[in-house]
Amino acid sequence: MTLGGREPDNDCVADVWISGAGMTRFGKRNESLPDLIAEAAYAALTDAGIDQPDALVVGAMNPEEFTGDGNFGSLINTHLGLAKLPALRVETATSSGLAAFYTGFAAVAAGLHRNVLVLGGEKMSHLATPRVSEIIGRSIDPHERRYGTTMPALAGLITRAAMHKHGLTLREISQVAVKNHTNAARNPYAHFQEPVTLEAVMESRVVADPLRLYHCCPISDGAAAVVLTSSRAPVRVAGIGQGTDSIAIRYRSDLTSFRATQVAARAAYRMAGFGPERVDVAELHDAFSSFEIISLEDLGLMPAGKAGRATLEGETALDGRLPVSPSGGLKARGHPLAATGIGQAVELCWQLRGQAGARQVAARVGLAQSIGGLATNNWVLLLEAAR
Amino acid sequence: MIESTLPASICPRCERLVVPPAPRCPDHGTAMELASVPNTGEVVSFTTLFSPPEGFRSPLHIALVELEGGARLFCHGEETKGVKIGSRVSVEDVNSVYYFSNMGFADRARLFWRRAGARGEKVAAISKSLVQGLLKGRSSGQP
């Protein structure tokens, strides 16, 4: 490894717990971004049984471009009637939600605050699709963007390379979308509530060859929130890790796995003191269906080259060996950028507390993975039900 | 014109090459030195965009190419018909935009001839390029 830095020493990390979780329904929403964030914030505070936290961390990727508003730490604490509380805004592109989670976690673990309200949200469905794609695409390397590379274009290159290397098939990739739509149909918070057939996915129009429309996540609005606390609660943060890679895809030596996920996973497992074998349920970043398969392997949840087949055989379904994205994932629950990572934590929290309704699975340990940009800045979070 | 060079930069510490030239090595942060690399290489992957961003024609063919020496770069292409991962391509700079084109058998043979000529190993190179041409020709029927 080059310039890897020293591995962090986790012996001094104090226990941090999730005492409250809440989110809005994801999808096309008419409310403003501050109103959506407030809806999630009050749900999480009520769930935690507190009126106000000691501090706020707001995850937001591109609110200036999407909504025209800025200064989001202050905008949100004022909107919530908590203007006297410290607030800051955190951003790591499409993984901003878990970046905000990490910031709140670090503050509680360090003893700086007892209760931190972590918020994430995005509002973009009011803009035309090409405009949204262009704004999200600004997270791509500027030189590579001059070639018309959008997120779907880079995902198309990666998908083709993965199919070539591992013999991954379009059918296996498409099954990710089918499975996630099936799960979302049981989730009242999901953007899409209808199942889709394998044929419909495979016959949808080509977006970035070989990726088709139904392999790509939708444009969603929404917000999610958690309260992190230093006092014991039903769900503990077992581990969290960050991993990075060059924003320039041309500087990477391998297209078919994401170093940023692998490094983040290693850090999270090290902090937790256990490995992938203890993970019972996962929420993964399927911005493009092939990314769920790549991520299963990067996280050590499936052997390299096996995740496609396992998906087709139902191993990742709600009733499978390892349920993946019971919420419906980015594809069907929706992907309001900075809300997504926190939304994953909210779903895992509900799963671990046995509050996930029709999509409940048996789980003691849950893993969330969030991809920032084209896997330039990724996060892995491990949550554990208190014994 | 199939054989020429492209401007690159090289890391004095690890000898990594990048195209276009960059001030710092992506791996070491070391100041890079200017270099040049052959404009031929292999397709790492490619895609065709049917709804490209504003200002680009549709469909838009984009490839990631690894040049000899290891530097990778994004290119546009006229088409991706007949292109596969691993296809030999040459890359040209047209008004500061790189374009790839599939190297046909004749191009590859000429390239081998020219390189072999410099080393005085024409016969070996011709037979090698013929064999490679046959192999490529045979595999091109595969899906």
Side-chain angles (χ1 to χ4, degrees):
Chain A
M1 200 192 305
T2 52
L3 276 192
R6 205 175 64 85
E7 299 207 329
D9 175 7
N10 297 314
D11 292 345
C12 56
V13 175
D15 275 342
V16 176
W17 312 76
I18 299 180
S19 60
M23 60 184 282
T24 69
R25 180 180 61 75
F26 286 0
K28 280 190 183 295
R29 300 286 303 248
N30 294 322
E31 298 91 328
S32 70
L33 179 54
D35 279 347
L36 288 170
I37 291 178
E39 183 186 329
Y42 293 131
L45 288 171
T46 304
D47 190 38
I50 59 173
D51 291 332
Q52 61 174 61
D54 305 318
L56 288 81
V57 182
V58 182
M61 177 172 160
N62 287 94
E64 290 85 352
E65 291 85 349
F66 288 131
T67 72
D69 295 327
N71 195 5
F72 254 70
S74 297
L75 182 68
I76 296 303
N77 75 356
T78 304
H79 192 75
L80 292 172
L82 302 172
K84 303 285 165 58
L85 297 185
L88 57 90
R89 179 248 185 120
V90 175
E91 183 272 314
T92 55
T94 44
S95 64
S96 295
L98 283 190
F101 189 107
Y102 173 81
T103 307
F105 167 85
V108 175
L112 299 177
H113 299 294
R114 269 189 307 185
N115 294 301
V116 175
L117 177 62
V118 179
L119 306 160
E122 219 77 45
K123 166 80 181 153
M124 37 184 193
S125 75
H126 57 290
L127 299 175
T129 300
R131 174 84 178 131
V132 173
S133 297
E134 188 264 318
I135 292 172
I136 296 174
R138 292 178 195 177
S139 55
I140 296 169
D141 174 76
H143 169 78
E144 294 177 4
R145 223 158 64 215
R146 283 178 41 208
Y147 285 80
T149 56
T150 55
M151 285 296 192
L154 296 176
L157 287 168
I158 285 166
T159 304
R160 187 188 301 283
M163 291 171 78
H164 182 261
K165 183 174 178 184
H166 292 306
L168 183 65
T169 67
L170 206 61
R171 201 176 178 79
E172 291 167 345
I173 294 167
S174 302
Q175 180 59 29
V176 171
V178 173
K179 185 257 303 170
N180 286 347
H181 269 267
T182 304
N183 294 354
R186 293 166 175 249
N187 182 0
Y189 293 87
H191 187 152
F192 296 123
Q193 306 279 343
E194 314 82 25
V196 295
T197 63
L198 196 59
E199 291 66 37
V201 176
M202 293 182 72
E203 287 163 16
S204 57
R205 72 177 163 84
V206 177
V207 172
D209 185 35
L211 284 175
R212 290 168 181 267
L213 182 66
Y214 280 25
H215 297 128
C216 309
C217 66
I219 292 167
S220 318
D221 310 321
V226 291
V227 178
L228 299 178
T229 179
S230 53
S231 350
R232 197 180 165 83
V235 174
R236 191 177 72 90
V237 182
I240 186 166
Q242 180 181 19
T244 57
D245 204 348
S246 171
I247 195 170
I249 302 299
R250 66 189 185 284
Y251 290 167
R252 300 186 193 175
S253 57
D254 184 13
L255 282 186
T256 59
S257 61
F258 298 143
R259 176 192 188 269
T261 300
Q262 294 168 341
V263 172
R266 214 153 55 218
Y269 290 137
R270 194 188 316 117
M271 189 186 289
F274 57 76
E277 68 285 347
R278 284 215 24 216
V279 174
D280 302 312
V281 59
E283 283 283 322
L284 304 186
H285 192 104
D286 61 319
F288 304 96
S289 297
S290 51
F291 285 16
E292 180 168 312
I293 290 168
I294 290 170
S295 299
L296 279 166
E297 299 174 5
D298 285 340
L299 293 160
L301 295 170
M302 299 269 180
K306 304 287 185 201
R309 188 63 189 266
T311 300
L312 200 56
E313 288 174 353
E315 283 190 40
T316 57
L318 266 191
D319 60 353
R321 179 177 67 83
L322 175 71
V324 173
S325 298
S327 69
L330 279 63
K331 173 68 191 80
R333 198 246 330 243
H335 183 29
L337 310 182
T340 293
I342 301 174
Q344 292 173 323
V346 169
E347 173 70 16
L348 291 178
C349 202
W350 288 339
Q351 290 286 349
L352 297 177
R353 298 195 305 205
Q355 298 170 331
R359 60 190 190 285
Q360 182 67 49
V361 300
R364 290 198 61 83
V365 171
L367 178 151
Q369 171 235 19
S370 196
I371 297 180
L374 210 290
T376 65
N377 211 335
N378 296 6
W379 297 91
V380 171
L381 170 68
L382 288 162
L383 299 180
E384 188 175 22
R387 290 172 195 283
Chain B
M1 180 64 189
I2 57 157
E3 192 181 19
S4 64
T5 60
L6 295 171
S9 58
I10 186 165
C11 172
R13 184 169 151 193
C14 68
E15 301 193 327
R16 179 173 181 168
L17 287 158
V18 305
V19 174
R24 298 274 164 186
C25 173
D27 290 335
H28 297 105
T30 318
M32 295 190 99
E33 293 162 2
L34 285 177
S36 63
V37 292
N39 72 330
T40 53
E42 283 190 1
V43 170
V44 176
S45 193
F46 60 97
T47 189
T48 301
L49 274 186
F50 292 92
S51 311
E54 208 174 303
F56 294 90
R57 64 184 176 174
S58 179
L60 180 65
H61 304 294
I62 303 172
L64 181 63
V65 171
E66 182 166 317
L67 299 173
E68 286 161 34
R72 291 183 170 193
L73 75 176
F74 277 88
C75 313
H76 283 166
E78 282 304 315
E79 59 172 13
T80 52
K81 203 171 152 191
V83 173
K84 287 183 295 183
I85 289 178
S87 288
R88 296 282 304 166
V89 292
S90 62
V91 174
E92 279 182 78
D93 181 336
V94 181
N95 299 325
S96 296
V97 176
Y98 298 125
Y99 283 86
F100 73 91
S101 49
N102 218 345
M103 291 173 73
F105 173 66
D107 289 337
R108 287 200 303 274
R110 218 175 313 142
L111 181 60
F112 274 105
W113 177 275
R114 208 174 293 171
R115 289 197 183 155
R119 282 185 261 121
E121 296 166 352
K122 289 184 181 180
V123 176
I126 293 165
S127 52
K128 195 176 165 194
S129 69
L130 278 172
V131 168
Q132 287 206 341
L134 285 171
L135 287 174
K136 295 265 179 182
R138 207 166 54 191
S139 66
S140 68
Q142 308 276 335

